[in-house]
Amino acid sequence: MGYKILRKEILGPGSKLMEIYAPFVAKAAKPGQFIVLRVHEKGERIPLTIARTDREKGVVTIIFQEVGKTTIHLGLLKKGDEIADFVGPLGKPTEIENFGTVVAIGGGFGTAVLLPMVTALKKAGNRVITIIGARTKELVLLEQEMKALVDEVLITTDDGSYGMKGLVTDGLKFIMGKEKVDAVYAVGPVPMMKAVADMTREPRIKTIVSLNPIMVDGTGMCGACRVEVGGKTKFACVDGPEFDAHEVNFDLLMKRLKMYREEEKRSLELFKKQLETEGYIWHGG
Ligand code: NAD
Ligand code: FES
């Protein structure tokens, strides 16, 4: 028996939300933890952050971006369909304290990962300012949900079509120029997390990033998710996924993320051909 999809929502181009009936995961999950799923029994295992849980109803919400074969396949499933495996909660929960003023930065799809973090940070008594960065207006994710959770939301778009024109780092510079920032959480593309870490290193602002290396087993055995933090090898699935941004070797992480790009591309092409044969047309989101 699999894990039933209770609700499905399209959030924006290529991004979807699903509510899954998984009572044991819902009961045990803490902010910052993730699950590993397989769409079907021969499928690839992919990690996804737990966006929300409802313990009473046994429901876990996941938000994902359709970037490769497995996420596209997942996005094609409908309400009532079942996912073969849904294992978790995995990883260490977010380190939550009352820091004072916290800036939570979501770059593009990384914004989805911030939802449980900001909920917990608010609960711990922090003043939370969220920066949501996207290339353009239609890619801005979860604006209303964030506004309901935090004290202030600043939107940045690369092309200036909505909010402040610029990158999330321009938003952070603006906030750091007007008030004291005690901690920063940043989730998004690796170059973004690296740029945020570079900005907060000298003023010694505690900065946490959530890393997304390739994962296979998700339990610390295969070594696929290894990252270098403070000169030491760590496994993101059991030692993370969150780490001190000032200690992370982002260049190595970028290199490792590119390792299977050709194979991923080929696998996606084959899958798209298979979908066409079966009469599906995937429009890219
Ligand atoms: P994107 O490339 O559209 O970038 C989103 C925003 O990030 C930009 O609008 C900009 O404000 C900021 N940004 C990007 N590069 C930057 C740089 N060099 N300096 C400063 N700011 C920069 O992002 P996308 O296409 O939505 O992709 C999302 C990325 O997030 C993917 O790479 C995905 O792997 C990653 N991701 C990470 C996690 C995680 O846990 N770390 C989770 C989900 C997604
Ligand atoms: Fe295998 Fe982390 S995914 S060790």
Side-chain angles (χ1 to χ4, degrees), residues 53-281:
T53 53
D54 184 328
R55 285 172 185 230
E56 271 74 55
K57 292 185 181 149
V59 176
V60 177
T61 305
I62 50 169
I63 296 176
F64 57 95
Q65 187 183 26
E66 294 172 321
V67 283
K69 177 186 168 180
T70 303
T71 44
I72 291 169
H73 194 166
L74 181 62
L76 289 169
L77 299 184
K78 300 179 292 300
K79 180 181 167 186
D81 286 345
E82 290 188 352
I83 293 169
D85 294 330
F86 197 84
V87 179
L90 300 168
K92 283 191 178 163
T94 303
E95 198 186 312
I96 300 291
E97 274 177 48
N98 188 345
F99 297 103
T101 299
V102 180
V103 178
I105 305 173
F109 197 71
T111 309
V113 180
L114 282 183
L115 274 185
M117 288 184 194
V118 298
T119 308
L121 285 164
K122 269 307 291 174
K123 214 167 154 190
N126 292 284
R127 168 171 150 71
V128 181
I129 305 170
T130 298
I131 303 174
I132 303 176
R135 271 169 277 150
T136 189
K137 186 179 177 186
E138 63 164 358
L139 296 175
V140 172
L141 269 185
L142 303 167
E143 180 185 354
Q144 296 315 323
E145 289 82 349
M146 262 317 160
K147 280 186 172 160
L149 288 173
V150 305
D151 299 280
E152 222 179 285
V153 175
L154 177 71
I155 314 261
T156 65
T157 48
D158 301 12
D159 63 2
S161 53
Y162 192 49
M164 178 194 258
K165 183 177 190 314
L167 306 175
V168 292
T169 36
D170 295 306
L172 179 61
K173 196 170 157 195
F174 171 73
I175 292 165
M176 282 167 69
K178 73 179 176 80
E179 63 186 286
K180 182 173 171 284
V181 174
D182 300 298
V184 170
Y185 281 68
V187 190
V190 182
M192 180 210 96
M193 295 191 284
K194 186 180 183 212
V196 169
D198 288 344
M199 277 182 75
T200 58
R201 185 171 287 110
E202 212 210 302
R204 293 173 180 268
I205 301 170
K206 185 182 176 80
T207 302
I208 310 276
V209 285
S210 178
L211 303 184
N212 60 331
I214 294 163
M215 287 193 189
V216 180
D217 67 312
T219 60
M221 286 190 284
C222 70
C225 67
R226 65 185 178 275
V227 288
E228 194 184 289
V229 183
K232 294 198 179 97
T233 296
K234 300 274 179 188
F235 291 163
C237 68
V238 286
D239 302 318
E242 289 164 26
F243 294 100
D244 177 343
H246 300 144
E247 300 276 313
V248 172
N249 183 340
F250 289 105
D251 295 328
L252 183 65
L253 177 59
M254 279 186 245
K255 217 165 125 192
R256 286 187 56 80
L257 280 169
K258 285 183 194 146
M259 248 170 27
Y260 298 108
R261 205 143 278 178
E262 270 313 303
E263 287 85 347
E264 284 164 2
K265 220 168 106 189
R266 244 180 291 139
S267 162
L268 179 58
E269 286 310 318
L270 283 171
F271 183 61
K272 281 186 193 162
K273 274 200 188 115
Q274 184 194 332
L275 286 179
E276 277 165 28
T277 318
E278 289 169 11
Y280 283 105
I281 299 173

